[in-house]
């Protein structure tokens, strides 16, 4: 019953609405009223301003993607080129840094809660300036412990951007189709964040490391480039970004009375009713406690967390599985080609998501595509090593199958993330609680961090078992995670409902009317 978060809430008791599964006439009228309201709001704001704000939000999201990809200089400093994707110990070290970043990302719960109370713009600025300072500080990290600490701080700061950008996209989108298209662009923008390590490498290569400070801190020059780029985006945001959270007007006397609501409230009155606004309040944001008591939201969070677990485990183990021979359950991609292969397939997958997901949402809704994607994950994890064995005699076909498998995995992961983001935006009845529910998505970061446990167990057990046995065990574990995730996806609902998910007392209109007249006998 609740969907588009531009809706306001009603002071009229809605407890009885939970008794009805379908109210066709009322629902249709409500949908038409919402579309007319959205069109009126869209006409009020110039199209140029709307597009400029949306472009700026994408640039802000690009800063977060650059921050996430800034891990590469630290890895190259800690790991020699020969060992960069050679064995499970290397994967374990990579996963430790990813784990620290993911744990820091759980702060998105706090940032989302804060953005519903003080606005999106202040939280975004805090995140951007925090990221710029963190980039510069990471240049002074020279060992695993210091790199891990700064990666945690980086995840803490960047989670503010991850939450507010998605929330602001939801605030600016005026229709369901536009919102799906806007969110579907995020995987492509995240890929553009890979330009960060490229710029860092160019800067570090152009600076002669003849001074003592450059030799003592080999990643300082590249991190200065990263921090400067994020700082420029932060300054631009200070000047150009506008607040997207609707704020309470200063005086209620300037409020235009909604004639349709007034007509609804005065239905059944014979005489000309006297209707006036008796109160204007900004609805209190729905609390985190109330959200986590909603069964539909808990199921969605559980499904997305499990998806994040097996998708992140695949990414963490890819340097090992990709480099291993296909005869031993690996993917048979040479180490020198693995990074470029992943970059190319991510770009193609992002374009496919941008093209297909909005159309699928428009034709099929959100649940059918999400459930279909969840079913394809276990099939992918089970079929990849089997097909690799069948064509192990041909290095070309083995590499081709592995490349296709990596492409399918990134396409499925990106598509599922877009659909979950849209489902999360559906889970809030208005804009004043959107940040909180989007922040709850960051709970999945804890399960991303659990990927380090899988790689760590593989690292310790690999000495007791052969490479083939270890690899097949990893594929089996991924397939099992995928099966459980596919089963859980069938319990996900597209929208929460009144009473079953949200108590009726938390839903109220911003405007309360008082009508006087003679009642019909």
């Amino acid at each position: 019953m609740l969907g588009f978060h531009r809706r306001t809430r009603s002071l009229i008791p809605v407890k009885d609405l939970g008794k009805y599964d379908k109210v066709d006439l009322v629902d249709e009228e409500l949908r038409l009223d919402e579309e007319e309201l959205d069109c009126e709001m869209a006409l009020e704001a110039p199209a140029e301003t709307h597009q400029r704000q949306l472009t700026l939000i994408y640039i802000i999201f690009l800063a977060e993607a650059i921050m996430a990809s800034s891990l590469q200089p630290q890895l190259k400093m800690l790991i020699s080129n020969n060992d960069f994707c050679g064995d499970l110990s290397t994967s374990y070290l990579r996963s430790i840094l990813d784990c620290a970043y993911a744990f820091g990302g759980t702060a998105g719960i706090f940032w989302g809660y804060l953005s519903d109370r003080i606005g999106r713009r202040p939280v975004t600025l805090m995140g951007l300036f925090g990221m710029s300072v963190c980039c510069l500080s990471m240049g002074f990290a020279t060992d695993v412990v210091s790199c891990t600490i700064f990666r945690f701080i980086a995840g803490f700061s960047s989670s503010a951007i991850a939450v507010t950008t998605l929330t602001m996209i939801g605030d600016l989108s005026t229709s369901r189709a536009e919102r799906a298209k806007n969110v579907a662009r995020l995987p492509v923008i995240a890929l553009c964040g890979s330009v960060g390590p490229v710029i860092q490498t160019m800067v570090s290569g152009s600076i002669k490391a003849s001074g003592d400070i450059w030799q003592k801190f080999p990643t300082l020059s590249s991190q200065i480039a990263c921090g400067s780029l994020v700082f420029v985006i932060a300054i631009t945001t200070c000047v150009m970004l506008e607040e997207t959270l609707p704020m309470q007007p200063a005086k209620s006397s300037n409020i235009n009375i909604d004639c349709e609501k007034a007509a609804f409230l005065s239905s059944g009155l014979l005489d000309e009713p006297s209707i006036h606004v008796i109160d204007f309040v900004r609805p209190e944001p729905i609390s985190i406690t109330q959200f986590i008591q909603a069964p539909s939201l808990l199921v969605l969070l559980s499904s997305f967390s499990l998806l994040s677990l097996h998708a992140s485990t695949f990414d963490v183990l890819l340097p090992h599985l990709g480099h291993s021979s296909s005869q031993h359950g690996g993917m048979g991609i040479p180490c020198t080609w693995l990074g470029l292969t992943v970059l190319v397939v991510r770009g193609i997958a992002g374009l496919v998501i941008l093209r297909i997901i909005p159309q699928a949402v428009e034709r099929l809704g959100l649940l059918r595509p999400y459930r279909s994607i969840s079913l394809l994950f276990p099939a992918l994890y089970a079929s990849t090593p089997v097909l690799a064995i069948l064509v192990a005699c041909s290095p070309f076909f083995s590499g081709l199958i592995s490349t296709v498998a990596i492409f399918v995995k990134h396409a499925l992961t990106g598509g599922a993330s877009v659909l979950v983001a849209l489902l999360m935006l559906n889970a809030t009845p208005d804009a004043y609680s959107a940040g909180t529910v989007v922040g709850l998505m960051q709970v999945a970061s804890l399960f991303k961090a659990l990927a380090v446990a899988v790689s760590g167990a593989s690292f310790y057990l690999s000495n007791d078992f052969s490479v083939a046995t270890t690899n097949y065990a990893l594929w089996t574990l991924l397939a099992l995670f995928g099966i459980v995730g596919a089963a859980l996806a069938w319990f996900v609902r597209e929208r929460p409902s009144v009473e079953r998910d949200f108590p009726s007392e938390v839903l109220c209109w911003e405007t309360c009317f008082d009508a006087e007249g003679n009642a019909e006998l």
Side-chain angles (χ1 to χ4, degrees):
M1 296 180 65
L2 302 175
F4 201 57
H5 77 220
R6 284 185 179 275
R7 293 184 184 181
T8 53
R9 294 179 249 159
S10 173
L11 286 174
I12 298 175
V14 293
K15 185 174 182 180
D16 293 338
L17 295 179
K19 301 177 182 179
Y20 302 95
D21 293 329
K22 295 183 180 180
V23 189
D24 295 336
L25 180 60
V26 175
D27 186 71
E28 182 66 19
E29 293 175 352
L30 179 60
R31 183 183 64 82
L32 293 175
D33 291 343
E34 288 176 346
E35 291 179 354
E36 293 174 1
L37 178 61
D38 292 336
C39 292
E40 292 174 1
M41 295 179 65
L43 291 174
E44 292 175 359
E48 295 80 3
T49 303
H50 177 87
Q51 188 60 39
R52 182 169 60 249
Q53 290 297 303
L54 195 59
T55 302
L56 182 59
I57 290 171
Y58 288 141
I59 295 175
I60 295 171
F61 185 79
L62 176 63
E64 192 276 335
I66 293 174
M67 189 72 186
S69 62
S70 63
L71 171 66
Q72 297 301 322
Q74 279 77 26
L75 282 175
K76 291 182 178 179
M77 176 185 64
L78 298 173
I79 304 171
S80 64
N81 291 332
N82 295 332
D83 296 334
F84 194 71
C85 59
D87 53 24
L88 280 171
S89 61
T90 300
S91 299
Y92 187 50
L93 179 58
R94 291 170 60 93
S95 64
I96 289 176
L97 300 181
D98 287 334
C99 177
Y101 190 84
F103 267 112
T106 57
I109 301 175
F110 164 74
W111 295 121
Y113 175 87
L114 194 63
S115 69
D116 284 335
R117 285 149 180 84
I118 67 174
R120 326 294 192 207
R121 187 176 183 272
V123 175
T124 301
L125 292 176
M126 285 189 285
L128 285 172
F129 283 108
M131 286 165 52
S132 62
V133 173
C134 187
C135 276
L136 296 175
S137 303
M138 283 195 298
F140 297 96
T142 56
D143 54 23
V144 176
V145 175
S146 57
C147 286
T148 302
I149 293 174
F150 281 117
R151 285 301 290 177
F152 173 82
I153 299 174
F156 181 91
S157 301
S158 63
S159 63
I161 305 302
V163 171
T164 56
T165 49
L166 182 57
T167 306
M168 287 189 290
I169 289 175
D171 293 339
L172 292 176
S173 301
T174 57
S175 66
R176 176 175 176 174
E178 181 184 355
R179 182 170 56 178
K181 186 179 298 184
N182 292 340
V183 176
R185 295 191 182 104
L186 296 182
V188 177
I189 298 173
L191 175 66
C192 295
S194 302
V195 72
V198 174
I199 296 176
Q200 289 174 320
T201 302
M202 293 173 59
V203 171
S204 61
S206 62
I207 296 178
K208 296 181 180 180
S210 56
D212 293 338
I213 188 172
W214 305 115
Q215 293 179 354
K216 184 177 181 180
F217 305 107
T219 64
L220 181 59
S221 59
S222 60
Q223 292 301 136
I224 289 177
C226 175
S228 301
L229 182 59
V230 176
F231 184 75
V232 170
I233 295 176
I235 295 298
T236 304
T237 303
C238 285
V239 177
M240 299 182 61
L241 184 63
E242 299 177 1
E243 181 59 63
T244 62
L245 179 66
M247 306 303 290
Q248 180 176 348
K251 294 182 179 179
S252 61
S253 58
N254 297 329
I255 302 170
N256 294 325
I257 296 178
D258 190 326
C259 297
E260 293 180 356
K261 289 180 182 178
F264 169 73
L265 291 171
S266 61
S267 61
L269 301 178
L270 290 176
D271 297 340
E272 185 71 19
S274 173
I275 301 174
H276 57 277
V277 179
I278 62 173
D279 191 16
F280 185 91
V281 294
R282 169 178 166 172
E284 289 294 329
I286 300 177
S287 65
I288 296 178
T289 303
Q290 290 169 332
F291 271 121
I292 62 177
Q293 290 176 352
S296 63
L297 184 61
L298 289 179
V299 172
L300 178 58
L301 282 175
S302 302
S303 178
F304 182 56
S305 298
L306 197 57
L307 168 67
S308 301
L309 175 59
H310 63 72
S312 299
T313 302
F314 181 91
D315 292 336
V316 168
L317 297 175
L318 183 59
H320 168 70
L321 292 175
H323 184 60
S324 298
S325 171
S326 57
Q327 296 178 350
H328 296 155
M331 306 181 76
I333 301 177
C335 179
T336 54
W337 287 93
L338 185 59
L340 180 61
T341 301
V342 173
L343 185 64
V344 172
V345 300
R346 281 185 61 194
I348 300 174
L351 295 176
V352 170
I353 292 169
L354 181 58
R355 177 70 177 176
I356 294 179
I357 292 298
Q359 296 181 358
V361 171
E362 184 177 358
R363 296 177 182 178
L364 305 174
L366 295 174
L367 289 184
R368 289 179 60 185
Y370 181 68
R371 289 168 177 171
S372 300
I373 288 176
S374 300
L375 284 173
L376 291 175
F377 274 113
L380 174 67
Y381 297 142
S383 61
T384 299
V386 175
L387 293 176
I389 293 175
L390 296 177
V391 296
C393 57
S394 174
F396 172 78
F397 285 106
S398 178
L400 179 61
I401 290 175
S402 299
T403 302
V404 172
I406 296 174
F407 162 75
V408 172
K409 184 268 173 186
H410 282 287
L412 294 178
T413 302
S417 299
V418 170
L419 293 172
V420 168
L422 295 174
L423 287 168
M424 283 291 183
L425 292 175
N426 269 358
T428 176
D430 55 34
Y432 302 109
S433 303
T436 302
V437 73
V438 172
L440 288 174
M441 286 181 62
Q442 303 304 310
V443 171
S445 296
L446 290 174
F447 291 83
K448 292 181 181 179
L450 288 179
V452 69
V454 178
S455 60
S458 304
F459 170 68
Y460 286 111
L461 296 177
S462 59
N463 294 328
D464 300 329
F465 300 94
S466 64
V467 175
T469 302
T470 302
N471 288 345
Y472 289 129
L474 293 175
W475 285 115
T476 302
L477 186 62
L478 288 172
L480 291 176
F481 284 152
I483 291 172
V484 177
L488 193 58
W490 287 96
F491 296 95
V492 174
R493 291 206 303 261
E494 187 166 348
R495 293 182 179 89
S497 61
V498 181
E499 288 301 326
R500 184 166 50 183
D501 291 303
F502 293 120
S504 59
E505 58 268 16
V506 306
L507 306 174
C508 61
W509 272 342
E510 296 179 18
T511 307
C512 180
F513 293 87
D514 183 25
E516 295 179 358
N518 295 325
E520 181 180 3
L521 297 177

